[in-house]
Structures are given as C-alpha cells and as structure tokens.
Amino acid sequence: MKSAAAVFLGGAASRLLPASVPFRFFGAAVVYHALAWLTLLAAAPEWPRFAGGLGRPLAALHLVTLGVLAMAAIGASLQLLPVATRQPVASERAPALIWWLFAPAVAVLAIGMAFAVPALLAVGAIAIVVALLLFAVLLAANLRAARGMPGVVAHGWAALVSLLVALATALALVGNYVGLPSLARTTALALHVAFAGYGFMGLLAAGVSAILVPMFTLASLPDTRVQLVSCAFAVAGLGLAGAAAAGVAPTPTRVAALACGAIAVALHLMLMRRAIRDGMQRELGRSFMLVRVAWASLVASVAAALGVVLDVALPALTTVFGLLLIGGWLLTLVLAMLQRILPFLASMHGARAGRRAPVPSSFTATTPLAIHFACHLAALAGLVVAAVGESAAIATIAAATGTLGAAAFAVYYVVLVRRMAAPRSVRPRAAIAASR
C-alpha cells in the first residue's frame, strides 16, 4: 500500500494556495479561540445554570463552533482537499471573499447573541450563511472532480449535505428570535446539533483525519472499504436523528441513531489506531496526546448523548454532553491538528521557490504549546466540574485557565508566521519536535 505522505505530497507544491489564503483562516481561528474563552470568562457567573436562549454563554459557544471550528475547517479543506484529491486549486479570489464575509459576520453574530440584539443576530447569520454557501460550492466542485481517496470524498459529500441542513436549521432558529418562525424551536435545535456537530464538523473531521493522521505518522492509507462503511453508518445515524427530530418514534429512533453513530466511530477509530500503530513515526508528542483526548471525548459524547435520550438522572448531563462534543472532541482535535498543519504548510511554502524545504520543526515554538496543552486540558476538566457542581467560581477559574492557554496558542501562531517571513538564515537551526 502507498503511504499517505507519498500520495499527499506528490505534486503538492503545484496545488498550494498562496500562504495568505489558508493562514488568514487559521489566524482568525486563533483570534476567535481567545475571544471565546474571554467571553466565557465574562459569562462564568451565569454559565453553570445556562439553559438556552440569547446571552454570553451562547455567544461563547458560537465563537468556538463558527469562529474556531468552522474557520479552521474552511482553511484546512480549501488547501488540503485539493492536494489530497489531486485537483488544481480553485479560484484564489473566492476563498478571500469567503473570509471577508465570514470573519466579521461571526463577530456580529456573537455580539447579537451576547447582548440579545435580534437585528445584529439576523445580519450576522445571513452573512455567515452566504459565506458558507460559497464554501459549499467550492467544496462540491472539488469533490465532484476528485481523483482518488474515495473514502475521504464520501465523507466530504456527507459533510456538505450536513452543512446545508445545519444552515437551514440555523436560519430557522434565528427566525424564532426575530419573529419569523418557520420550524418549531425544539425540532430545529435537535437537527442543528446533530447535523452541525456530528454531521458537518464531525464528518469533515473524520475525512481530513484519514489524510492527516497517516501522513503525520508515516503510515499507509486507511482501508477504503472500512472508511466507506463508517461513513455509511454515520449517514444512517444522521438520517435517523433527523427522523426522530421530526417526531418519528423519538426515543427508539434516537437510540438507533446513536447505535449507528457508535459503529461509525468505532470503525473510524480502528483505522486511526491502526495508522498510529503501524506508522514509522513513533514520537508523536503532545499534539497526538491531544488527539487521543479528542477521540476519547468523542466516544464519551456518544455515551452522554444516550444518557440524555434515556433521561438518565445525572447532574448537568446535557451540559456535559455539549462540553464533550464541542470542547473535548472537536475543539481539542482542531487545535491538535493545527499544531501539525501550520508548520507543515509553512515548510511546503518555503520550498515553492525551488529551494530545499525547511524542516517543519524550525517553525515551532515549543514552550507556548506546552503551556497551551496544560491549560486546555485543565480548563475543560474545570468546566465539567463547574457544570456538575453548578459552581460559578470554578467556571471562572476554568475560563481564566482556558484564556491563558488560548493566549499561549496565539503566541505560537505569531512566532510561526514571523519565522515564515524571516530569512532562513535567522531561523532556529535545531530540529525541535513540532509536536512537543
């Protein structure tokens, strides 16, 4: 079998976007990461008892889901998928337009949520929908012409359909706040959580992980048949979740949806574990410790979701489910992968002028990543404790710790960008492990 690195790197330089395109999305994600923790810090007194509705906790949530997760997903998929599927890079102007629409719109939406201003909420939501529809067009064009990696392509198509459902339900939820109801709030919310969290972001994360994990571990490409079966179970689970949200035997249908999701997760993690076990790169460092935490959180989120469906009497179970899904799995996975993607892309861009590629580790500042690692995990654990104990004090400490970790990650990003711009002669020569 061919290695993932060989498939990915073959002719990759000719399919690179200008560095400013993906890095502007990654930079915005880094900024919104810090803003999300700061907003949660301001919301700490109300967060442990938050039960929905407009307010600072909802703004903090969407600064993560849109400002960090979706922003990083757009940047990564616009650059990585054309390389992986061996397609020429699409228009360079379209990604720039998406960024100029999406980045400020996330801020407008968050302000509208935080201060309960429906007009700002609607303006931000409409601009976000337009930007993500433009992204969907670019993604569809790439997937339609893809050559190779059918498992990744299948996950991409499923993520694309999930994105459309997530956008439709988001507009329905916003409509309820501005007096234009189109779908019952409980139905729209159930669909939005499933298709935005497990659908769009989850399927896209699984597809991109099938590229990145084998590439960074120097392993063979994942088994295509297993990828396709995993994707099929995930799609079936989402379909059942949609039926349950529409009122079709809600409890048994949701249990069946989670069973399908659990099978999809098990198959995906089997492939990822195999890539780590069989890969030639043995020293994977802190970034892959975070990846393992993310995968454990994914499994735990499915278990917590089952508890919510069965109405298990555990304190703050719904809040803990949201923390596991958004913070434990998706946010942790995205931050872990960015630690690998950023220096890797920096190295590839350094080789475009015909020079020998600089070592990715030469772009990495390890101390900020070590601080972020400790703070991120401590903050997530603290939020779980705060939710279960309904403690505003613990929530404040956890949010402050998360803010410190986000600041450290921002320092890492700034150092990397400065080293990209610096002449090679002034970069650190020691090959420090990028994952540490």
Side-chain angles (χ1 to χ4, degrees), residues 148-203:
M149 293 198 173
V152 174
V153 172
H155 279 83
W157 279 117
L160 181 58
V161 173
S162 296
L163 173 61
L164 298 179
V165 177
L167 292 178
T169 53
L171 288 176
L173 289 167
V174 171
N176 284 311
Y177 286 115
V178 298
L180 297 171
S182 59
L183 189 64
R185 184 178 182 278
T186 53
T187 300
L189 185 60
L191 288 169
H192 190 67
V193 170
F195 281 86
Y198 289 115
F200 170 53
M201 283 304 307
L203 286 165

Coordinates of all heavy atoms in Angstrom, one line a residue, residues 148-203:
G148 N -9.2 9.8 -6.7 CA -8.6 9.0 -5.6 C -9.2 9.4 -4.3 O -10.1 10.2 -4.2
M149 N -8.8 8.6 -3.2 CA -9.3 8.8 -1.9 C -10.8 8.8 -1.8 O -11.4 9.8 -1.3 CB -8.7 10.1 -1.2 CG -7.2 10.0 -1.0 SD -6.6 11.2 0.2 CE -4.9 10.7 0.4
P150 N -11.5 7.8 -2.3 CA -12.9 7.7 -2.3 C -13.5 7.8 -0.9 O -14.6 8.3 -0.7 CB -13.3 6.4 -3.0 CG -12.1 5.6 -2.9 CD -10.9 6.5 -2.9
G151 N -12.9 7.3 0.1 CA -13.4 7.4 1.5 C -13.4 8.8 2.0 O -14.4 9.2 2.6
V152 N -12.4 9.5 1.7 CA -12.3 11.0 2.1 C -13.4 11.7 1.3 O -14.1 12.6 1.9 CB -10.9 11.6 1.8 CG1 -10.9 13.1 2.0 CG2 -9.9 10.9 2.7
V153 N -13.6 11.4 0.0 CA -14.6 12.1 -0.8 C -16.0 11.8 -0.3 O -16.8 12.7 -0.2 CB -14.4 11.7 -2.3 CG1 -15.6 12.2 -3.1 CG2 -13.1 12.2 -2.8
A154 N -16.2 10.6 0.1 CA -17.6 10.2 0.6 C -17.9 11.0 1.9 O -19.0 11.6 2.1 CB -17.6 8.7 0.9
H155 N -16.9 11.1 2.8 CA -17.1 11.9 4.0 C -17.3 13.4 3.6 O -18.1 14.1 4.3 CB -15.9 11.8 4.9 CG -15.8 10.6 5.7 ND1 -15.4 9.4 5.3 CD2 -16.3 10.3 7.0 CE1 -15.5 8.4 6.2 NE2 -16.0 9.0 7.3
G156 N -16.6 13.9 2.6 CA -16.8 15.3 2.2 C -18.2 15.5 1.7 O -18.8 16.6 2.0
W157 N -18.7 14.6 0.9 CA -20.1 14.8 0.4 C -21.1 14.8 1.5 O -22.1 15.6 1.6 CB -20.5 13.7 -0.7 CG -19.9 14.0 -2.0 CD1 -19.0 13.3 -2.7 CD2 -20.3 15.1 -2.9 NE1 -18.8 13.8 -4.0 CE2 -19.6 15.0 -4.1 CE3 -21.1 16.2 -2.8 CZ2 -19.7 15.9 -5.1 CZ3 -21.2 17.1 -3.8 CH2 -20.5 16.9 -5.0
A158 N -20.9 13.8 2.4 CA -21.9 13.8 3.6 C -21.8 15.0 4.4 O -22.8 15.5 4.9 CB -21.5 12.5 4.4
A159 N -20.6 15.5 4.6 CA -20.4 16.7 5.4 C -21.0 17.9 4.7 O -21.6 18.8 5.4 CB -18.9 17.0 5.6
L160 N -21.0 17.9 3.4 CA -21.6 19.0 2.6 C -23.1 19.0 2.8 O -23.7 20.1 3.0 CB -21.2 18.9 1.1 CG -21.7 19.9 0.2 CD1 -21.2 21.3 0.6 CD2 -21.2 19.6 -1.2
V161 N -23.7 17.9 2.7 CA -25.2 17.8 2.8 C -25.5 18.2 4.3 O -26.5 18.9 4.5 CB -25.7 16.4 2.5 CG1 -27.1 16.2 2.9 CG2 -25.4 16.1 1.1
S162 N -24.7 17.8 5.2 CA -25.0 18.1 6.6 C -24.9 19.6 6.8 O -25.6 20.2 7.6 CB -24.0 17.4 7.6 OG -24.2 16.0 7.5
L163 N -23.9 20.2 6.2 CA -23.8 21.7 6.3 C -25.1 22.4 5.8 O -25.5 23.4 6.4 CB -22.6 22.2 5.4 CG -22.4 23.7 5.3 CD1 -22.2 24.3 6.7 CD2 -21.2 24.0 4.4
L164 N -25.6 21.9 4.7 CA -26.9 22.6 4.2 C -28.0 22.4 5.2 O -28.8 23.4 5.4 CB -27.3 21.9 2.9 CG -26.2 22.1 1.7 CD1 -26.7 21.4 0.5 CD2 -25.9 23.6 1.5
V165 N -28.1 21.3 5.8 CA -29.2 21.1 6.9 C -28.9 22.0 8.1 O -29.8 22.6 8.6 CB -29.2 19.6 7.3 CG1 -30.2 19.5 8.5 CG2 -29.6 18.7 6.2
A166 N -27.6 22.1 8.5 CA -27.2 22.9 9.6 C -27.5 24.4 9.3 O -28.0 25.1 10.2 CB -25.8 22.7 9.9
L167 N -27.3 24.8 8.1 CA -27.6 26.2 7.8 C -29.1 26.5 7.7 O -29.5 27.6 8.2 CB -27.0 26.6 6.4 CG -25.4 26.6 6.3 CD1 -25.0 26.9 4.9 CD2 -24.9 27.6 7.3
A168 N -29.8 25.6 7.2 CA -31.3 25.8 7.2 C -31.9 25.8 8.6 O -32.7 26.7 8.9 CB -31.9 24.6 6.4
T169 N -31.4 25.0 9.4 CA -31.9 25.0 10.8 C -31.4 26.2 11.6 O -32.1 26.7 12.5 CB -31.6 23.7 11.5 OG1 -30.1 23.5 11.4 CG2 -32.3 22.5 10.9
A170 N -30.2 26.7 11.3 CA -29.7 27.9 11.9 C -30.6 29.1 11.6 O -31.0 29.9 12.5 CB -28.3 28.1 11.5
L171 N -31.0 29.2 10.3 CA -31.9 30.3 9.9 C -33.3 30.1 10.6 O -33.9 31.1 11.0 CB -32.1 30.3 8.4 CG -30.9 30.7 7.6 CD1 -31.1 30.6 6.1 CD2 -30.5 32.2 7.9
A172 N -33.7 28.9 10.8 CA -35.0 28.7 11.5 C -34.9 29.1 12.9 O -35.8 29.8 13.4 CB -35.4 27.2 11.4
L173 N -33.8 28.8 13.6 CA -33.6 29.3 15.0 C -33.5 30.8 15.1 O -34.1 31.4 16.0 CB -32.3 28.6 15.5 CG -32.4 27.1 15.8 CD1 -31.1 26.5 16.0 CD2 -33.4 26.8 17.0
V174 N -32.8 31.4 14.2 CA -32.7 32.9 14.2 C -34.1 33.5 13.9 O -34.5 34.5 14.5 CB -31.7 33.3 13.1 CG1 -31.7 34.9 13.0 CG2 -30.3 32.9 13.5
G175 N -34.8 32.8 13.0 CA -36.2 33.3 12.7 C -37.1 33.4 13.9 O -37.9 34.3 14.0
N176 N -36.9 32.4 14.8 CA -37.7 32.4 16.0 C -37.4 33.7 16.9 O -38.3 34.2 17.6 CB -37.4 31.2 16.8 CG -38.2 30.0 16.2 OD1 -39.3 30.0 15.9 ND2 -37.4 28.9 16.0
Y177 N -36.1 34.1 16.8 CA -35.8 35.3 17.6 C -36.2 36.6 17.0 O -36.4 37.6 17.7 CB -34.3 35.3 17.9 CG -33.8 34.3 18.8 CD1 -32.9 33.3 18.4 CD2 -34.1 34.3 20.2 CE1 -32.4 32.3 19.3 CE2 -33.7 33.4 21.1 CZ -32.8 32.4 20.7 OH -32.4 31.5 21.6
V178 N -36.4 36.7 15.7 CA -36.7 37.9 15.0 C -38.2 37.9 14.7 O -38.7 38.8 13.9 CB -35.9 38.2 13.8 CG1 -34.4 38.3 14.2 CG2 -36.0 37.1 12.8
G179 N -39.0 37.0 15.1 CA -40.4 37.0 14.8 C -40.8 36.4 13.5 O -41.9 36.7 13.0
L180 N -40.0 35.5 12.9 CA -40.3 34.9 11.7 C -40.1 33.4 11.8 O -39.3 32.7 11.2 CB -39.4 35.4 10.5 CG -39.4 36.8 10.2 CD1 -38.3 37.2 9.2 CD2 -40.8 37.2 9.6
P181 N -41.0 32.7 12.7 CA -40.9 31.3 12.9 C -41.2 30.5 11.7 O -42.1 30.8 10.9 CB -41.9 31.1 14.0 CG -42.9 32.1 13.9 CD -42.1 33.3 13.4
S182 N -40.4 29.5 11.4 CA -40.6 28.6 10.2 C -40.5 27.2 10.6 O -41.0 26.3 9.9 CB -39.5 28.9 9.2 OG -38.2 28.7 9.7
L183 N -40.0 26.9 11.8 CA -39.9 25.5 12.2 C -39.8 25.5 13.8 O -39.3 26.4 14.4 CB -38.5 24.9 11.7 CG -38.3 23.4 11.9 CD1 -39.3 22.6 11.2 CD2 -36.9 23.0 11.4
A184 N -40.5 24.6 14.4 CA -40.5 24.5 15.8 C -39.1 24.5 16.4 O -38.2 23.9 15.9 CB -41.3 23.3 16.3
R185 N -38.9 25.3 17.5 CA -37.6 25.5 18.0 C -36.9 24.2 18.4 O -35.8 24.0 18.2 CB -37.6 26.5 19.2 CG -36.2 26.8 19.7 CD -36.2 27.8 20.9 NE -34.9 28.1 21.3 CZ -34.2 27.4 22.2 NH1 -34.7 26.3 22.7 NH2 -32.9 27.7 22.5
T186 N -37.7 23.3 19.1 CA -37.1 22.1 19.6 C -36.7 21.2 18.4 O -35.6 20.6 18.5 CB -38.2 21.3 20.4 OG1 -39.4 21.2 19.7 CG2 -38.4 22.1 21.7
T187 N -37.5 21.2 17.3 CA -37.1 20.4 16.1 C -35.9 21.0 15.5 O -35.0 20.3 15.1 CB -38.3 20.4 15.1 OG1 -39.4 19.8 15.7 CG2 -37.9 19.6 13.9
A188 N -35.9 22.3 15.3 CA -34.7 23.0 14.6 C -33.5 22.8 15.5 O -32.4 22.5 14.9 CB -35.0 24.4 14.4
L189 N -33.6 22.9 16.8 CA -32.4 22.7 17.6 C -31.9 21.3 17.6 O -30.6 21.1 17.5 CB -32.8 23.1 19.1 CG -31.6 23.1 20.1 CD1 -30.5 24.1 19.6 CD2 -32.1 23.5 21.5
A190 N -32.7 20.3 17.6 CA -32.3 18.9 17.6 C -31.6 18.6 16.2 O -30.5 18.0 16.2 CB -33.5 18.0 17.7
L191 N -32.1 19.1 15.2 CA -31.5 18.9 13.9 C -30.2 19.7 13.8 O -29.2 19.2 13.2 CB -32.4 19.4 12.7 CG -33.7 18.6 12.5 CD1 -34.6 19.3 11.5 CD2 -33.2 17.2 11.8
H192 N -30.1 20.9 14.3 CA -28.9 21.7 14.2 C -27.8 21.1 15.0 O -26.6 21.0 14.5 CB -29.2 23.1 14.8 CG -28.1 24.1 14.5 ND1 -27.8 24.6 13.3 CD2 -27.3 24.7 15.4 CE1 -26.8 25.4 13.3 NE2 -26.5 25.5 14.6
V193 N -28.0 20.6 16.2 CA -27.0 20.0 17.0 C -26.4 18.8 16.3 O -25.2 18.6 16.2 CB -27.5 19.6 18.4 CG1 -26.5 18.8 19.1 CG2 -27.8 20.9 19.2
A194 N -27.3 17.9 15.8 CA -26.9 16.7 15.1 C -26.1 16.9 13.8 O -25.0 16.4 13.6 CB -28.1 15.8 14.9
F195 N -26.7 17.8 13.0 CA -26.1 18.0 11.7 C -24.9 19.0 11.6 O -24.1 18.9 10.7 CB -27.2 18.4 10.7 CG -28.0 17.2 10.2 CD1 -29.1 16.8 10.9 CD2 -27.7 16.5 9.0 CE1 -29.9 15.8 10.5 CE2 -28.4 15.5 8.6 CZ -29.5 15.1 9.4
A196 N -24.8 19.9 12.6 CA -23.7 20.8 12.7 C -22.5 20.1 13.4 O -21.4 20.1 13.0 CB -24.1 22.1 13.4
G197 N -22.8 19.4 14.6 CA -21.8 18.8 15.4 C -21.3 17.5 14.8 O -20.1 17.4 14.4
Y198 N -22.1 16.5 14.8 CA -21.7 15.2 14.3 C -21.7 15.2 12.7 O -20.9 14.4 12.2 CB -22.6 14.1 14.8 CG -22.5 13.8 16.3 CD1 -23.5 14.1 17.2 CD2 -21.3 13.3 16.8 CE1 -23.3 13.8 18.5 CE2 -21.1 13.1 18.1 CZ -22.1 13.3 19.0 OH -22.0 13.1 20.3
G199 N -22.5 16.0 12.1 CA -22.6 16.0 10.7 C -21.5 16.7 10.0 O -20.5 16.1 9.6
F200 N -21.7 18.0 9.8 CA -20.7 18.8 9.1 C -19.3 18.7 9.7 O -18.4 18.3 9.1 CB -21.2 20.3 9.0 CG -20.2 21.2 8.5 CD1 -19.6 21.0 7.2 CD2 -19.8 22.4 9.2 CE1 -18.6 21.8 6.7 CE2 -18.8 23.2 8.7 CZ -18.2 23.0 7.5
M201 N -19.2 19.2 11.0 CA -17.8 19.2 11.5 C -17.3 17.8 11.8 O -16.2 17.5 11.6 CB -17.9 20.0 12.9 CG -17.9 21.5 12.7 SD -16.5 22.1 11.7 CE -15.1 21.4 12.5
G202 N -18.2 16.9 12.3 CA -17.7 15.5 12.6 C -17.3 14.7 11.4 O -16.2 14.1 11.4
L203 N -18.1 14.8 10.3 CA -17.7 14.0 9.1 C -16.5 14.7 8.4 O -15.6 13.9 7.9 CB -18.9 14.0 8.1 CG -20.0 13.0 8.6 CD1 -21.3 13.3 7.8 CD2 -19.6 11.6 8.3

